[in-house]
Amino acid sequence: MTPAAFDFASPLTWLRCGIALVWLVFGGLFKALGALPRHRRIIARVVGEARAGPVLWLVATGEVSLGLWMLVGRQLVPCVALQSVALVAMNALELRFARDLLLAPRAMLVANVTLLAAAWYVALAGSS
């Protein structure tokens, strides 16, 4: 299967790039580069302080990888399925163990559902 084209006249391309950017910013900037230390504190609540650093790097690497995969545009249905599993798992863990560290839990859920809806739209429109 060939990667999705970068047709910048297509709204699907811009939407795909926007979704990729979310993953790249959250994984690369906020987690890997530590621009938002709150992310490390959230992870520490879930896995413990001793494991927080390595797990943060794993999460950051996973998020950056999802962003790059979305940009490449190959096999978007499995890519978005993995995004869905990752976001549901992360949101469930955050709400269970670190709710007090979240700025706006309801808004986070709405934003993540919106992100996934857009990602599924892109993946399914591109596979037809």
Side-chain angles (χ1 to χ4, degrees):
M1 178 171 280
T2 60
F6 274 102
D7 173 9
F8 290 106
S10 168
L12 284 176
T13 296
W14 288 102
L15 194 52
R16 193 174 96 226
C17 289
I19 294 161
L21 185 62
V22 169
W23 288 105
L24 293 169
V25 167
F26 273 79
L29 182 63
F30 294 166
K31 291 181 181 75
L33 296 177
L36 289 179
R38 182 174 50 82
H39 286 261
R40 187 183 193 290
R41 291 194 306 271
I42 292 168
I43 288 175
R45 282 280 183 86
V46 176
V47 300
E49 188 60 44
R51 293 187 191 104
V55 172
L56 180 67
W57 274 98
L58 286 173
V59 172
T61 301
E63 289 183 2
V64 168
S65 297
L66 287 171
L68 293 174
W69 188 357
M70 197 72 187
L71 275 180
V72 168
R74 184 171 288 203
Q75 299 288 324
L76 287 178
V77 170
C79 175
V80 174
L82 188 55
Q83 289 178 40
S84 300
V85 170
L87 272 179
V88 168
M90 287 189 291
N91 286 184
L93 290 168
E94 290 167 347
L95 289 169
R96 171 69 175 94
F97 296 105
R99 188 181 193 101
D100 62 308
L101 296 175
L102 302 175
L103 298 177
R106 286 188 182 107
M108 174 191 75
L109 292 175
V110 170
N112 287 338
V113 167
T114 303
L115 178 72
L116 289 177
W120 278 110
Y121 176 76
V122 169
L124 295 175
S127 67
S128 56

